[in-house]
Amino acid sequence: DAGITQSPRHKVTETGTPVTLRCHQTENHRYMYWYRQDPGHGLRLIHYSYGVKDTDKGEVSDGYSVSRSKTEDFLLTLESATSSQTSVYFCAISDRVGSQETQYFGPGTRLLVL
Amino acid sequence: DQQVKQNSPSLSVQEGRISILNCDYTNSMFDYFLWYKKYPAEGPTFLISISSIKDKNEDGRFTVFLNKSAKHLSLHIVPSQPGDSAVYFCAAIGGGSNYKLTFGKGTLLTVNP
């Protein structure tokens, strides 16, 4: 158990509304990530953070923004939700031992945009 | 451009037999590989990993083999159990993106009693 929680776990929203998903970790890991999982695509990286206020884009970052004001919290915001953002969102933290990194995932947030 | 490929969307095996899940990659700069298992409505769970300097890593019933020349890795589960039924993702790190995992699309393993 990597001490990762995500909230909310489920959300239904309407097109055009803003949505914020929260990832919270209890073990002071430096690196945090947001992924989305869609059928036929596996997991794709949206944004990641390598420290407080330090973030960067992943491969599918359009339409998403992130913020990290505290080590333990990494927020993902959909400024204006679209139906194409209906997905399951996973947060992850990484644990590095030397040059080897393992990422541990939260339980996921299922988002439906109507 | 899919850098990590799992060409079999599904695999069905009998309980007690061996399950072999395959993964191919195209980026020769990848230097660390991981397998994750995912049950429905849960997050992916780390299973086993292997560094590119090794060709085999074993943990209980799970063994990962790496063939760098073929850019191929495989996960062997022996013996397979019904509780192993899940989606298995192959992932890779490296190639100048040390903090980013590149995932395959996953293989659904079904172990029949």
Side-chain angles (χ1 to χ4, degrees):
Chain A
D1 184 2
I4 307 169
T5 57
Q6 293 184 230
S7 59
R9 293 294 313 278
H10 302 271
K11 186 167 182 68
V12 180
T13 191
E14 293 186 349
T15 298
T17 59
V19 176
T20 295
L21 309 182
R22 179 182 183 238
C23 177
H24 179 79
Q25 58 139 333
T26 59
E27 299 187 5
N28 208 35
H29 292 282
R30 178 180 173 189
Y31 298 97
M32 299 184 74
Y33 308 82
W34 276 108
Y35 290 87
R36 61 179 287 174
Q37 186 198 6
D38 304 288
H41 288 279
L43 287 100
R44 294 180 292 174
L45 181 66
I46 306 171
H47 281 280
Y48 68 101
S49 169
Y50 45 96
V52 173
K53 296 187 180 178
D54 291 323
T55 64
D56 204 350
K57 296 179 179 180
E59 60 180 302
V60 290
S61 60
D62 288 348
Y64 301 95
S65 62
V66 289
S67 65
R68 190 157 177 214
S69 58
K70 299 184 290 184
T71 298
E72 58 266 35
D73 289 325
F74 192 30
L75 304 181
L76 176 71
T77 297
L78 292 65
E79 301 289 349
S80 178
T82 66
S83 58
S84 65
Q85 293 176 311
T86 291
S87 187
V88 182
Y89 292 86
F90 291 101
C91 174
I93 58 90
S94 70
D95 185 16
R96 301 199 105 195
V97 178
S99 62
Q100 297 181 350
E101 170 172 333
T102 300
Q103 292 186 14
Y104 297 92
F105 287 81
T109 295
R110 187 172 295 272
L111 176 67
L112 174 61
V113 183
L114 299 175
Chain B
D1 178 26
Q2 195 180 352
Q3 298 187 67
V4 177
K5 300 178 183 179
Q6 294 177 257
N7 292 320
S8 297
S10 62
L11 173 68
S12 182
V13 300
Q14 212 54 34
E15 181 179 5
R17 308 293 285 269
I18 185 171
S19 296
I20 300 176
L21 297 109
N22 293 304
C23 179
D24 297 295
Y25 61 96
T26 58
N27 189 337
S28 58
M29 296 298 289
F30 285 144
D31 54 14
Y32 190 56
F33 303 89
L34 308 92
W35 284 94
Y36 286 84
K37 179 171 73 173
K38 186 183 179 304
Y39 293 119
E42 295 184 10
T45 302
F46 169 70
L47 198 55
I48 192 170
S49 62
I50 188 167
S51 166
S52 60
I53 63 173
K54 296 184 176 181
D55 55 17
K56 178 182 175 181
N57 188 26
E58 191 172 355
D59 184 2
R61 297 186 297 113
F62 302 91
T63 302
V64 56
F65 296 92
L66 176 61
N67 182 334
K68 283 188 68 177
S69 61
K71 295 190 179 68
H72 176 82
L73 64 156
S74 61
L75 174 68
H76 292 213
I77 307 173
V78 183
S80 301
Q81 300 173 353
D84 296 329
S85 297
V87 176
Y88 288 79
F89 290 101
C90 171
I93 290 180
S97 300
N98 284 334
Y99 312 128
K100 303 180 196 177
L101 280 176
T102 301
F103 282 87
K105 294 183 178 181
T107 297
L108 173 62
L109 173 65
T110 302
V111 181
N112 301 302

